[in-house]
Amino acid sequence: MNFSLLIPQLLNGLQYGVLLFLLAAGLTLVFGIMSFIN
């Protein structure tokens, strides 16, 4: 297994996961404060 490609790929996946988490948390806070109902 090529570890020179594995480490950056893991870091990219972690960055993408954190980005999605921040986006979801922000939307949850915004819609929670607005008490937005479908």
Side-chain angles (χ1 to χ4, degrees):
M1 183 172 267
N2 196 356
F3 286 105
S4 63
L5 292 177
L6 183 65
I7 302 300
Q9 194 69 16
L10 285 174
L11 291 177
N12 285 340
L14 189 63
Q15 276 183 330
Y16 188 61
V18 168
L19 180 70
L20 287 178
F21 171 74
L22 287 176
L23 186 70
L27 284 175
T28 303
L29 285 174
V30 166
F31 285 121
I33 290 172
M34 288 172 45
S35 64
F36 187 81
I37 302 174
N38 299 349

